[in-house]
Short mmCIF file of all heavy atoms in Angstrom, two decimals:
data_model
loop_
_atom_site.label_atom_id
_atom_site.label_comp_id
_atom_site.label_asym_id
_atom_site.label_seq_id
_atom_site.Cartn_x
_atom_site.Cartn_y
_atom_site.Cartn_z
N VAL B 352 -28.28 49.05 -1.78
CA VAL B 352 -27.84 49.52 -0.49
C VAL B 352 -27.32 48.38 0.36
O VAL B 352 -26.24 48.43 0.95
CB VAL B 352 -28.94 50.29 0.24
CG1 VAL B 352 -28.55 50.68 1.68
CG2 VAL B 352 -29.44 51.49 -0.55
N VAL B 353 -28.11 47.28 0.40
CA VAL B 353 -27.68 46.15 1.19
C VAL B 353 -26.32 45.63 0.70
O VAL B 353 -25.42 45.45 1.49
CB VAL B 353 -28.72 44.95 1.01
CG1 VAL B 353 -28.18 43.68 1.62
CG2 VAL B 353 -30.08 45.39 1.67
N PHE B 354 -26.19 45.53 -0.60
CA PHE B 354 -24.93 45.03 -1.17
C PHE B 354 -23.83 45.98 -0.86
O PHE B 354 -22.65 45.55 -0.47
CB PHE B 354 -25.11 44.96 -2.72
CG PHE B 354 -23.95 44.39 -3.42
CD1 PHE B 354 -23.27 43.34 -2.94
CD2 PHE B 354 -23.62 44.93 -4.64
CE1 PHE B 354 -22.14 42.84 -3.56
CE2 PHE B 354 -22.53 44.43 -5.32
CZ PHE B 354 -21.79 43.34 -4.79
N GLY B 355 -24.01 47.27 -0.96
CA GLY B 355 -23.01 48.29 -0.66
C GLY B 355 -22.51 48.13 0.72
O GLY B 355 -21.25 48.15 1.01
N VAL B 356 -23.41 48.04 1.70
CA VAL B 356 -23.07 47.94 3.10
C VAL B 356 -22.30 46.68 3.40
O VAL B 356 -21.28 46.69 4.06
CB VAL B 356 -24.33 47.99 3.95
CG1 VAL B 356 -24.03 47.73 5.43
CG2 VAL B 356 -25.00 49.37 3.88
N VAL B 357 -22.77 45.58 2.80
CA VAL B 357 -22.10 44.30 3.00
C VAL B 357 -20.65 44.37 2.55
O VAL B 357 -19.70 43.92 3.22
CB VAL B 357 -22.85 43.21 2.23
CG1 VAL B 357 -22.01 41.90 2.04
CG2 VAL B 357 -24.18 42.83 2.90
N LEU B 358 -20.43 45.00 1.36
CA LEU B 358 -19.08 45.04 0.77
C LEU B 358 -18.22 45.93 1.64
O LEU B 358 -17.04 45.61 1.89
CB LEU B 358 -19.08 45.49 -0.65
CG LEU B 358 -19.60 44.47 -1.65
CD1 LEU B 358 -19.38 44.94 -2.99
CD2 LEU B 358 -19.02 43.11 -1.43
N ALA B 359 -18.78 47.08 2.04
CA ALA B 359 -17.96 48.03 2.85
C ALA B 359 -17.46 47.37 4.14
O ALA B 359 -16.33 47.57 4.53
CB ALA B 359 -18.79 49.28 3.16
N TYR B 360 -18.38 46.61 4.75
CA TYR B 360 -18.01 45.92 5.98
C TYR B 360 -16.87 44.92 5.75
O TYR B 360 -15.91 44.86 6.49
CB TYR B 360 -19.20 45.27 6.60
CG TYR B 360 -18.74 44.53 7.85
CD1 TYR B 360 -18.43 45.21 9.06
CD2 TYR B 360 -18.61 43.15 7.85
CE1 TYR B 360 -17.98 44.52 10.17
CE2 TYR B 360 -18.17 42.45 8.96
CZ TYR B 360 -17.85 43.17 10.12
OH TYR B 360 -17.39 42.48 11.22
N SER B 361 -17.03 44.12 4.66
CA SER B 361 -16.01 43.14 4.34
C SER B 361 -14.65 43.79 4.14
O SER B 361 -13.59 43.35 4.55
CB SER B 361 -16.37 42.39 3.07
OG SER B 361 -17.57 41.73 3.22
N ALA B 362 -14.67 44.93 3.43
CA ALA B 362 -13.45 45.69 3.10
C ALA B 362 -12.73 46.12 4.39
O ALA B 362 -11.56 45.94 4.56
CB ALA B 362 -13.77 46.86 2.20
N LEU B 363 -13.52 46.76 5.30
CA LEU B 363 -12.94 47.25 6.55
C LEU B 363 -12.28 46.13 7.39
O LEU B 363 -11.19 46.20 7.79
CB LEU B 363 -14.06 47.91 7.31
CG LEU B 363 -13.65 48.60 8.67
CD1 LEU B 363 -12.78 49.82 8.35
CD2 LEU B 363 -14.77 48.94 9.51
N ALA B 364 -13.06 45.05 7.51
CA ALA B 364 -12.56 43.95 8.36
C ALA B 364 -11.29 43.31 7.69
O ALA B 364 -10.33 42.97 8.44
CB ALA B 364 -13.66 42.83 8.45
N THR B 365 -11.22 43.26 6.40
CA THR B 365 -10.03 42.66 5.76
C THR B 365 -8.83 43.57 5.87
O THR B 365 -7.71 43.18 6.11
CB THR B 365 -10.34 42.33 4.29
OG1 THR B 365 -11.48 41.51 4.20
CG2 THR B 365 -9.16 41.63 3.68
N PHE B 366 -9.11 44.91 5.70
CA PHE B 366 -8.04 45.87 5.77
C PHE B 366 -7.35 45.83 7.15
O PHE B 366 -6.13 45.93 7.24
CB PHE B 366 -8.54 47.31 5.46
CG PHE B 366 -7.49 48.32 5.47
CD1 PHE B 366 -6.57 48.33 4.37
CD2 PHE B 366 -7.37 49.21 6.51
CE1 PHE B 366 -5.57 49.29 4.38
CE2 PHE B 366 -6.28 50.15 6.47
CZ PHE B 366 -5.42 50.20 5.35
N ALA B 431 -17.50 37.87 -1.85
CA ALA B 431 -17.10 38.98 -0.96
C ALA B 431 -17.37 38.65 0.47
O ALA B 431 -16.71 39.25 1.38
CB ALA B 431 -17.88 40.23 -1.37
N LEU B 432 -18.20 37.74 0.77
CA LEU B 432 -18.52 37.28 2.18
C LEU B 432 -17.71 35.99 2.48
O LEU B 432 -17.31 35.77 3.60
CB LEU B 432 -19.96 37.14 2.39
CG LEU B 432 -20.70 38.29 2.93
CD1 LEU B 432 -22.14 38.03 3.03
CD2 LEU B 432 -20.16 38.74 4.22
N VAL B 509 -9.50 44.47 -0.88
CA VAL B 509 -10.03 45.66 -0.12
C VAL B 509 -10.36 46.73 -1.14
O VAL B 509 -11.47 47.28 -1.12
CB VAL B 509 -9.06 46.18 0.88
CG1 VAL B 509 -9.49 47.52 1.46
CG2 VAL B 509 -8.96 45.18 2.03
N VAL B 511 -10.99 46.63 -4.38
CA VAL B 511 -12.12 46.23 -5.20
C VAL B 511 -13.45 46.38 -4.45
O VAL B 511 -14.40 46.98 -4.94
CB VAL B 511 -11.97 44.80 -5.75
CG1 VAL B 511 -13.27 44.30 -6.40
CG2 VAL B 511 -10.84 44.70 -6.75
N LEU B 512 -13.39 45.90 -3.22
CA LEU B 512 -14.65 46.00 -2.42
C LEU B 512 -15.05 47.43 -2.15
O LEU B 512 -16.26 47.82 -2.26
CB LEU B 512 -14.48 45.28 -1.13
CG LEU B 512 -14.29 43.80 -1.16
CD1 LEU B 512 -14.61 43.16 0.22
CD2 LEU B 512 -15.25 43.18 -2.16
N VAL B 513 -14.09 48.32 -1.90
CA VAL B 513 -14.38 49.71 -1.55
C VAL B 513 -14.98 50.38 -2.80
O VAL B 513 -16.03 51.04 -2.71
CB VAL B 513 -13.17 50.48 -1.06
CG1 VAL B 513 -13.44 51.97 -1.05
CG2 VAL B 513 -12.74 49.99 0.28
N VAL B 514 -14.35 50.17 -3.97
CA VAL B 514 -14.84 50.83 -5.22
C VAL B 514 -16.30 50.36 -5.46
O VAL B 514 -17.21 51.21 -5.76
CB VAL B 514 -13.97 50.47 -6.36
CG1 VAL B 514 -14.59 50.86 -7.69
CG2 VAL B 514 -12.62 51.09 -6.21
N ILE B 515 -16.52 49.11 -5.47
CA ILE B 515 -17.87 48.65 -5.82
C ILE B 515 -18.91 49.00 -4.73
O ILE B 515 -20.01 49.35 -5.10
CB ILE B 515 -17.84 47.08 -5.96
CG1 ILE B 515 -16.75 46.65 -6.95
CG2 ILE B 515 -19.18 46.55 -6.47
CD1 ILE B 515 -16.95 47.01 -8.38
N ALA B 516 -18.50 48.97 -3.53
CA ALA B 516 -19.43 49.36 -2.42
C ALA B 516 -19.86 50.80 -2.62
O ALA B 516 -21.05 51.09 -2.54
CB ALA B 516 -18.75 49.21 -1.02
N ALA B 517 -18.90 51.69 -2.95
CA ALA B 517 -19.27 53.06 -3.17
C ALA B 517 -20.20 53.24 -4.36
O ALA B 517 -21.21 53.96 -4.28
CB ALA B 517 -17.97 53.89 -3.44
N MET B 519 -22.31 51.06 -5.55
CA MET B 519 -23.53 50.49 -5.32
C MET B 519 -24.40 51.33 -4.31
O MET B 519 -25.59 51.56 -4.50
CB MET B 519 -23.40 49.04 -4.72
CG MET B 519 -22.84 48.06 -5.74
SD MET B 519 -24.07 47.75 -7.07
CE MET B 519 -22.94 47.60 -8.49
N LEU B 520 -23.72 51.87 -3.29
CA LEU B 520 -24.42 52.72 -2.39
C LEU B 520 -24.92 53.95 -3.08
O LEU B 520 -26.04 54.42 -2.85
CB LEU B 520 -23.44 53.14 -1.18
CG LEU B 520 -23.26 52.07 -0.17
CD1 LEU B 520 -22.16 52.46 0.84
CD2 LEU B 520 -24.54 51.74 0.57
#
Side-chain angles (χ1 to χ4, degrees):
Chain B
V352 176
V353 170
F354 183 41
V356 171
V357 164
L358 288 192
Y360 176 74
S361 298
L363 184 70
T365 306
F366 184 73
L432 270 176
V509 167
V511 169
L512 291 200
V513 168
V514 169
I515 308 293
M519 292 294 143
L520 282 174

